[in-house]
Amino acid sequence: MPSNSSRPSPTQRLLSTSQLIYQGAEAKVYKAYLGDCELRQKAENVDNDDCSVIEDVAVIPVLLKYRFNKRYRHPSLDASLTRQRVAGEARALMRCLRSGVNVPGVRMVDTADGVLGLEWIEGQSVRVLLPGGSEEVQNSDGTEGVGPNTCGDTALAELGVERDDLLDMIGVEIAKMHLADVIHGDLTTSNMMLRRRSKDLVLIDFGLAYHSTLVEDKAVDLYVLERAFASTHPDAEPLFSSVLASYEKRLGKHWPAIKKRLNDVRLRGRKRSMVG
């Protein structure tokens, strides 16, 4: 359990009744349902800095990201880092939401118990919608991928989306995020979802996200995505070029500086590869 309290908190009780769908090195991901009156009461009574905030939502599925205790860290340091990281991820998401970036809505924040509750996204991972990503995947936000029989262009056709439109949406959402001065920190096609109903592209898993106005940080963010395309998807160069074209169009006057820095970052990356 997240804390040593003899009486479990509402968040702890919610976790105990939730379905574990993924476990990584830093967090466990659950599918849960918010509708507990005690949780709502806690949200109304607790100080926001400590903080548990739950939106006025009906009983609907949510994703709970629980940063569990790390035994290799001193308890005080672990608690402090957990609070900072949960709050930091929530702030990055809220900044994106305010700027019109398609990201999961924030449903609950409990820094004391290390839990972040997010909107449950019904859709497909972009990784399995592009060539080469057909192996079954499950990303760190717990959204399931599909097998090889329903991947790539076949899955896109089922969703009613063209590949070029998908690549265009990727570039637009990343540009909107960077214009909001949010750096994702782990841009991969596994951390993007396509909603089933609205066909919107949603950026997910902001566990490494932070705020920065630096051109260097935005260029590195793009380079991480470029390397992810190269390692996961064949024909990566034309795919990523389409993403960059859409990104450039949305970024406007800010693009030349980022383009120049991206070329510098690529050069540094090639030199590191040559040195080994």
Side-chain angles (χ1 to χ4, degrees), residues 118-129:
L118 302 173
E119 172 190 3
W120 183 266
I121 305 296
E122 290 289 349
Q124 297 284 24
S125 168
V126 170
R127 175 173 177 172
V128 298
L129 297 176

Side-chain angles (χ1 to χ4, degrees), residues 14 32 48 52 83 163 203 210 212 219 235 260 266:
L14 180 63
N48 282 350
S52 283
R83 285 194 298 269
R163 186 194 295 180
L203 301 179
Y210 59 97
S212 174
D235 303 321
K260 181 178 183 302
R266 285 167 169 163

Side-chain angles (χ1 to χ4, degrees), residues 174-234:
I174 296 173
K176 286 158 60 178
M177 179 182 70
H178 283 174
L179 286 171
D181 294 329
V182 174
I183 308 302
H184 187 279
D186 189 23
L187 279 177
T188 69
T189 51
S190 293
N191 287 335
M192 302 172 188
M193 295 286 296
L194 188 67
R195 291 185 192 268
R196 289 190 186 278
R197 293 186 178 180
S198 64
K199 310 299 189 293
D200 293 330
L201 184 108
V202 183
L203 301 179
I204 63 172
D205 199 355
F206 280 70
L208 298 177
Y210 59 97
H211 173 259
S212 174
T213 60
L214 296 178
V215 169
E216 170 80 10
D217 291 339
K218 296 171 185 180
V220 170
D221 225 18
L222 290 174
Y223 182 69
V224 168
L225 180 60
E226 183 175 36
R227 298 308 302 160
F229 264 88
S231 64
T232 306
H233 306 285

Side-chain angles (χ1 to χ4, degrees), residues 5-179:
S5 173
S6 58
R7 185 183 178 207
S9 68
T11 300
Q12 293 169 2
R13 289 198 296 276
L14 180 63
L15 282 175
S16 69
T17 59
S18 302
Q19 176 189 1
L20 178 65
I21 56 176
Y22 178 85
Q23 178 169 348
E26 291 293 321
K28 295 179 180 180
V29 176
Y30 296 83
K31 185 175 185 179
Y33 294 86
L34 286 183
D36 192 313
C37 293
E38 196 169 356
L39 275 169
R40 294 181 183 278
Q41 186 177 13
K42 182 183 179 187
E44 293 172 359
N45 295 336
V46 80
D47 188 296
N48 282 350
D49 291 333
D50 187 40
C51 70
S52 283
V53 179
I54 303 176
E55 294 182 359
D56 186 17
V57 294
V59 181
I60 56 174
V62 294
L63 183 144
L64 297 180
K65 186 173 183 180
Y66 163 44
R67 290 183 177 270
F68 49 83
N69 296 336
K70 310 300 185 298
R71 297 183 181 276
Y72 57 84
R73 288 199 294 241
H74 188 279
S76 297
L77 175 62
D78 184 58
S80 176
L81 288 174
T82 297
R83 285 194 298 269
Q84 291 175 22
R85 289 171 182 174
V86 171
E89 185 169 357
R91 281 194 296 269
L93 286 165
M94 293 304 298
R95 189 179 186 93
C96 284
L97 287 166
R98 286 194 295 267
S99 300
V101 186
N102 286 329
V103 298
V106 178
R107 300 291 184 249
M108 167 185 168
V109 183
D110 190 334
T111 59
D113 281 327
V115 176
L116 180 64
L118 302 173
E119 172 190 3
W120 183 266
I121 305 296
E122 290 289 349
Q124 297 284 24
S125 168
V126 170
R127 175 173 177 172
V128 298
L129 297 176
L130 293 175
S134 60
E135 64 272 21
E136 190 171 337
V137 296
Q138 186 179 51
N139 61 50
S140 59
D141 270 359
T143 43
E144 295 181 359
V146 296
N149 293 330
T150 53
C151 65
D153 290 339
T154 301
L156 281 172
E158 291 176 358
L159 292 168
V161 177
E162 297 289 334
R163 186 194 295 180
D164 288 345
D165 293 334
L166 177 62
L167 296 171
D168 182 72
M169 286 188 283
I170 293 172
V172 167
E173 293 307 317
I174 296 173
K176 286 158 60 178
M177 179 182 70
H178 283 174
L179 286 171

